[in-house]
Amino acid sequence: MNTLNKLLLACIPFIGLAACSGGDTQDRLDLADPAVRFVHAAQLAPAVTLYRGESAQSDVTNVRYPFASNYFDVSTENSSWTLKNTATLAVLGTVELNPSRGNKYTFVAVPDAAAGASMVMFSDPYNKSLSSDRARVRVLNASPVAASIDVYLSAPGTDISAASVTPTISAITYKNVGPASGNDSVEVSAGTYRTTVTLAGTKTVVLTGQLVLANNKDVLMITVPNSLSASSAKALVKIEGTAGVTELPAN
């Protein structure tokens, strides 16, 4: 939605907007403070702390895998965000961020052979329609076994090997998200979905599971290495507004 349309819709009585948009109206209108969250998705990495400039963030101090904060508000000031090994203060990654109102930003510690973890960041402009109550889904590929993956969200029992079944999100490369950073998450109707991750462009299955989506929920799925099988992966699921992360359950 463009800025002009958002400003015009802002003239609609606020109570009506809040009722139809699940309480995130200011985000949808680009009026809310920017928000940041952090996910620790690197199994072999130590406890870490996230810094904005020289200040450790109280929501992300001395946290271990698996961990996920909920979004917390930040100012619009341009800053360097740094992830450090809590014990040694060794820098695992630094990202320069100039946040914008209404936008949301996610920092993730992902597996990295050199130091156990490195940090990636992606942004979500949150351009969700004021009348939409659908769930929002994004996938991060943090599993080195798959250089690029496709993700299928289908009805239980669907045979994805059929040529007519196409991915919900395609070609997510390692250490990147789909949809890509700076684009909106995919909106999906509430319901129970068979979730299948394949090697991109093929029907070779990397993992399967069951994902339950509720109205107005923001869902991040992260594929990570599966310690039980070097050739497969597992998935962590972060549902915004709930504590921590859970592992994607089997079908």
Side-chain angles (χ1 to χ4, degrees):
M1 185 183 301
N2 64 40
T3 302
L4 177 60
N5 286 340
K6 288 185 176 186
L7 291 174
L8 290 173
L9 285 167
C11 298
I12 300 173
F14 183 82
I15 293 176
L17 288 177
C20 73
S21 63
D24 55 1
T25 303
Q26 288 189 317
D27 289 302
R28 302 189 193 197
L29 290 172
D30 289 345
L31 300 175
D33 287 336
V36 164
R37 66 181 173 185
F38 175 81
V39 182
H40 192 327
Q43 300 100 313
L44 301 181
V48 298
T49 297
L50 183 66
Y51 291 76
R52 182 177 188 176
E54 300 299 319
S55 300
Q57 302 300 289
S58 59
D59 295 78
V60 190
T61 297
N62 197 31
V63 298
R64 294 182 177 276
Y65 171 92
F67 169 87
S69 74
N70 285 314
Y71 285 117
F72 54 94
D73 291 344
V74 297
S75 75
T76 56
E77 180 184 357
N78 183 49
S79 301
S80 292
W81 291 76
T82 304
L83 184 67
K84 296 182 181 181
N85 178 320
T86 301
T88 67
L89 298 183
V91 173
L92 302 176
T94 300
V95 175
E96 193 77 13
L97 178 61
N98 187 15
S100 300
R101 290 193 177 279
N103 286 29
K104 298 178 181 291
Y105 305 89
T106 301
F107 296 94
V108 185
V110 299
D112 186 279
S118 58
M119 185 170 70
V120 299
M121 187 276 289
F122 63 87
S123 65
D124 186 339
Y126 212 88
N127 287 319
K128 187 173 183 180
S129 166
L130 288 166
S131 61
S132 173
D133 65 356
R134 293 193 294 172
R136 307 172 70 253
V137 178
R138 192 182 300 269
V139 179
L140 169 63
N141 179 3
S143 178
V145 302
S148 184
I149 59 175
D150 292 338
V151 178
Y152 297 78
L153 298 179
S154 53
T158 299
D159 180 6
I160 69 149
S161 65
S164 59
V165 180
T166 58
T168 307
I169 308 174
S170 301
I172 310 168
T173 55
Y174 177 48
K175 293 189 178 181
N176 285 289
V177 288
S181 177
N183 294 302
D184 289 306
S185 298
V186 170
E187 291 194 33
V188 181
S189 297
T192 299
Y193 291 86
R194 182 188 185 200
T195 304
T196 308
V197 177
T198 68
L199 298 179
T202 78
K203 298 298 176 93
T204 302
V205 176
V206 175
L207 70 89
T208 61
Q210 179 176 282
L211 185 62
V212 179
L213 301 176
N215 286 339
N216 285 314
K217 289 299 182 181
D218 186 303
V219 179
L220 172 64
M221 188 175 84
I222 304 174
T223 64
V224 297
N226 184 353
S227 60
L228 300 178
S229 173
S231 62
S232 65
K234 62 181 180 179
L236 304 177
V237 177
K238 169 59 182 174
I239 300 176
E240 186 58 30
T242 62
V245 293
T246 58
E247 190 169 325
L248 183 73
N251 291 16

